[in-house]
Amino acid sequence: MGEREEEDCFPTQLIDGKGEFNVEGLDTFVNKTKLSDSGLSYAVVAIMGPQSSGKSTLLNHLFKTSFREMDAFAGRSQTTKGIWMAKCVGIEPFTLVMDLEGTDGRERGEDDTTFEKQSALFALAVADIVLINMWCHDIGREQAANKPLLKTVFQVMLRLFSPRKTTLLFVIRDKTKTPMELLEPVLREDIQKIWDLVRKPEAHKNTPLSEFFNVEVVALSSYEDKEKVFKQEVAELRQKFFHSISPGGLAGDRRGVVPASGFSFSSQEIWKVIKENRDLDLPAHKVMVATVRCEEIANEKLHHLATDETWLELQKAAEDGLVPGFGRKLTSILEKYLSEYDAEAIYFDEGVRKEKRLQLKSKALDFVYTAYATMLGHLRSNALESFKIRLEQSLNQGKGFANAVRDSQHFCLLVFDKGCEDAAVTQATWNASKVREKLCRDIDSHASSAQTARLSELTANYEKRLTQALSEPVESLLEAGGKETWPSIRTLLKRETEAAVTDFLDVVTGFELDHATIDAMVQNLKDYSRSVVEKKAREEAAKILIRMKDRFSTVFSHDKDSMPRVWTGKEDIRAITKDARAEALSLLSVMAAIRLDERPDKIESTLFSSLMDGTVSDSSSHNRSLGASTDPLASSSWEKVPPKDVLLSPVQCKSLWRQFKSETEYTVTQAISAQEAHKRNNNWLPPAWAIVLMFVLGFNELMMLLKNPLYLLGLFVAFLLCKALWVQLDVPREFHHGALAGVLSITSKFLPTVMNLLRKLAEEAQGKTTQGVPEYSASQSYRHQSPSHSISESVQSNISSLADDDAEYSSPALVQRRNTSNVRETEISEM
C-alpha cells in the first residue's frame, strides 16, 4: 500500500496479545481520524476466522488498509496478534475496521482459547458488521468453521448484552465448483443449529436468531490461484459497504448505536466486562461441561425454591408479623434444595461443583434475605415499642428517669436478642448487629426525646410556679411604691427562687445529668425568675403616669385617716399639694430603674432636687444666658445604673412630670374653688358697718314695723312667697345658660308657677280649717293662735315641700341657708 494510504487509515493496535487495552492509542486514533465529529454516522466492521486464512489480505484489498499480511514463502504462522483497527479509506460514511487474531493458532496452544473467545465476543458486541472468514471445504464439518467458538460466544453474548442486530457476513474463501446455491443453505442450517443449542437466559429463551443477527453469505475465489478474479470479486463486495448504515444496507437495521464521541469509553467498558467474565475462561472440555451442567442444576433449584409453597407461606407470614421458629423453618427449606443439588451434581468436577454450590447458596440466601430482614424489622419495632411502654409505666410509678431507661432498655434488648436467635438461618452468616445498633440508636433517641420532654415539662411547671409566686406580689409592691419597695422585691425574689431551685434539684436528681447541665438549668431558672420581675417592672413602668395620678389623687383628696377631705377653708392646699406631688414623685423614682443588684443610686435625690425644687422650670432661661446645659435630667441614662436596668430615662421622667403636673392642675384648681365657695356660703351676714348704717338709716321704718306687727307679718309672707318662687323657678339654673335666656325662660314660667303655688296654698288652708278641734287642743298656745300665724305655717310647709322636691338642684350652702331661715322663722313665730 502507498504511504498516503497508510497515513490515511491510521492502523492502531487496540488490544495487544496479552489482552491489555491500548487506551492511549485509541484516543490518538480518535483525534487523528476526527471520529468524534461523526455523531451517529459511522460503522464498525470486524473480521474473525482461522489463523492464516487471509483475513488481513482481504481487509487490505476490501478497505484500502495496511494491515500486516503473512509471507507465504516464510511459512504459515501467526501474523496478527491481538486486535488491530484502522480507518477504511474512501468509504462513506466513516467506517472503522478491526482485524482480530486468528483462531486455532498453534502459538497459543490447544486449551488456551480464552483470548479468541474474548476477542470474538468483543467483535460481536462492538461491530455492526462481522466478517467470518472460512474455508469452503469447512462447510458441513462439525469442528470446523469456528462453530465451537460461535456457540460459546453466542451463549455469553445473550447473557451479557442486549440485541443490537449485528450482521454476520460469512466470507467463503477459495470457492470450489460446488454452486453457492447448495453451500449457503448448509451454512445457514449449521448457524441455526448452533443458535438452537445455545443455553439462553429466561429473557431470550424464545428469541430467534434474526433478533440478534442478520446472516449474509458471499464467496470469493482463491487469491493465489485466481488473483485477478479475486480482486474483481472483492471490488464488487466493497460496494456493499458504501452507505452501509442506510436503510437496506448491510447494517441498516442496527440498534443501540453509541455516538462517535463515546466510542472510546464504550469499547473500553465492553472489553472490561468481557475480561472479567469467567464464563469465557474455559480451557478444558470437562470443566466447561461441568460448569454448564452445574449451573443449570443450580438455576433449576433456585427456580424451585422461588415457587415452593412452604417458602411462599413462610414469606407471607413474615410480612404479616413475627413467625415463631422462622430460622428453623427457613433452614429446612434451604437444606432441602442444597441436598438435591448435591445429589444431582455429585459426578461432575469437584471444583466446579463446589463453586456452583456456593453460588447457589449465595443466590438462595440473597433471595430469602428479604424475609429475614423483615423479621428483624418486626423484632426491632416490637422491641422499641415495648421500650416506650415500659419506660412510660416506670416513670408513672415514680421511678427515676435514668434507672427507668436502663431497666427498660436491658429488658427489650434481651427480648430482641432472643428473637434474633430464633430467626437465625444455619446456612447463613447473617449478623443482626447492625439492626441491634439501630435499635439501640432508636432507644437512645426516644429516651433523649422523652428526657427533653420531661425536663421541658418540669422546667415549665417551675417557671409557672415562679410566675404565680412573683407576678402579683411584685405588682402590688410596685404599685405601693415606697422606699422599701425594691428591698422587699429582692427579698421576695431570693426566697421564691431558692425554694424553687431546691425543689427542682430534688426532682432532677433522678435524671442523672452532669453537673454542667444541671448548673445551666438552675441558672436558667434563676434567670427566668429575674425576668419575671423585670417584665412586671416594665409593665408597671408603662403605667406610671396613671399610678402617679392615682397616688396624687389619694393623698390630695384624703386626710391622714383616709377620710375624704371637705374643703372648709381651713386647709392648706399648697402644703397638701406639695405632699401629694412628693408622693407621686417618690413613686416615679421607684419605677425609674430596676434595682435587683443592691447597687446605690441617686435617682430619687436627682428627681427631687430637679423637679420638686423648681430647678427644671428655671433652668431654661438661666441656661440660655450661660450657653450650656446644667439640667441633670438632660440625659438618657442614670448615673451608676446599667442601661439594661433603666425603665424610665431622666428625659422620660422629666417629660412625665410635666404631663403629670398638667393633668393634676385641674384637681388643685377645683379644690381652691370649692374652698372659696364654702367661705362665701358661710359668710352670709353683711359687714358690721353695714349693719350699723342700716340700723341708723332705717330707724324710723324699723320703729314703724315694731308699732304695727301686721307689716312685719306681711313682709314675712312676701319673703316666703319670693323664696318659694325662687326655688320653684330654679332661677340659678335658668341664668346658667345666659341672662337673656334666663329672663325669657322665667317670664314664660312665672304665671303658671304663681297660679300653681296659690292653688296649693288654698288647698292646704281649706284642709286645715276643716280639721277637728281635738287636733288643735294639744297646746294652749295653739288654741290662741291667730289666723296670720296659720297662714305663716302653711306657707312655711309649702316652701319646705318645694325645697325638698327641688333638693337635687340645691347646693349644700343653699340647704344650709334654708335650714337657718327655718330656724329664724320658728323663733319669730314663737316670739
Side-chain angles (χ1 to χ4, degrees), residues 112-366:
D112 191 9
T113 60
T114 300
F115 183 79
E116 66 183 45
K117 294 170 185 174
Q118 291 175 339
S119 60
L121 179 59
F122 180 77
L124 291 175
V126 174
D128 302 306
I129 305 169
V130 177
L131 303 178
I132 300 178
N133 201 44
M134 61 181 299
W135 301 111
C136 181
H137 56 75
D138 282 339
I139 297 176
R141 298 171 60 185
E142 185 65 27
Q143 297 300 324
N146 298 306
K147 288 183 181 179
L149 177 62
L150 285 177
K151 180 178 180 181
T152 302
V153 170
F154 281 177
Q155 176 178 327
V156 179
M157 186 174 182
L158 283 172
R159 183 167 59 83
L160 294 182
F161 303 106
S162 58
R164 60 187 308 271
K165 214 59 176 298
T166 304
T167 299
L168 299 179
L169 179 58
F170 287 85
V171 181
I172 301 174
R173 304 294 294 275
D174 297 348
K175 65 180 179 180
T176 61
K177 295 181 180 180
T178 305
M180 279 297 298
E181 292 79 9
L182 299 177
L183 295 176
E184 183 175 349
V186 176
L187 181 60
R188 289 183 178 275
E189 182 179 357
D190 291 340
I191 300 301
Q192 187 64 44
K193 285 182 179 180
I194 295 174
W195 180 262
D196 293 339
L197 294 175
V198 166
R199 288 187 299 106
K200 304 178 183 67
E202 289 294 330
H204 300 292
K205 206 154 195 174
N206 299 317
T207 304
L209 174 66
S210 59
E211 187 70 15
F212 274 84
F213 304 103
N214 289 324
V215 178
E216 300 287 339
V217 181
V218 65
L220 298 176
S221 299
S222 173
Y223 174 72
E224 296 178 357
D225 298 334
K226 301 178 180 179
E227 182 178 356
K228 186 176 181 179
V229 178
F230 173 83
K231 290 182 178 180
Q232 183 179 356
E233 292 173 346
V234 168
E236 294 175 358
L237 179 61
R238 175 182 170 85
Q239 295 301 317
K240 292 186 178 182
F241 289 92
F242 282 88
H243 307 294
S244 60
I245 61 175
S246 300
L250 285 176
D253 54 349
R254 63 178 181 168
R255 305 171 191 168
V257 183
V258 177
S261 59
F263 174 79
S264 176
F265 176 79
S266 175
S267 59
Q268 293 177 46
E269 290 299 309
I270 290 175
W271 181 248
K272 181 180 179 181
V273 172
I274 293 174
K275 282 278 290 182
E276 294 176 354
N277 184 51
R278 296 181 178 179
D279 292 345
L280 293 175
D281 189 13
L282 305 175
H285 179 73
K286 182 178 69 171
V287 174
M288 183 181 67
V289 173
T291 302
V292 172
R293 184 58 188 142
C294 289
E295 187 172 349
E296 289 178 350
I297 295 172
N299 291 334
E300 180 182 357
K301 300 309 172 186
L302 195 61
H303 175 72
H304 290 167
L305 171 63
T307 57
D308 187 274
E309 291 293 335
T310 306
W311 155 248
L312 294 175
E313 292 176 0
L314 183 62
Q315 184 183 31
K316 187 176 184 306
E319 292 175 355
D320 295 337
L322 288 176
V323 179
F326 174 85
R328 175 176 49 80
K329 296 177 181 178
L330 186 55
T331 298
S332 176
I333 295 173
L334 293 174
E335 187 61 31
K336 170 187 174 184
Y337 290 104
L338 290 175
S339 299
E340 291 179 358
Y341 170 85
D342 292 338
E344 295 182 25
I346 190 172
Y347 298 108
F348 293 101
D349 182 79
E350 182 180 1
V352 176
R353 184 177 74 244
K354 289 182 178 180
E355 180 184 356
K356 296 302 178 181
R357 188 184 193 278
L358 290 176
Q359 293 180 5
L360 170 61
K361 179 181 176 180
S362 176
K363 291 180 180 180
L365 290 175
D366 291 341

Side-chain angles (χ1 to χ4, degrees), residues 513-554:
L513 302 174
D514 57 275
H515 293 293
T517 303
I518 294 177
D519 293 342
M521 296 179 71
V522 169
Q523 186 60 44
N524 290 336
L525 204 59
K526 292 180 179 179
D527 293 343
Y528 178 81
S529 61
R530 184 184 179 100
S531 69
V532 171
V533 176
E534 292 179 351
K535 179 180 178 183
K536 183 55 64 175
R538 297 186 188 281
E539 290 177 359
E540 291 300 312
K543 300 183 288 186
I544 184 60
L545 185 59
I546 298 174
R547 301 295 190 203
M548 290 171 64
K549 292 192 292 184
D550 291 344
R551 177 67 60 85
F552 176 84
S553 177
T554 301

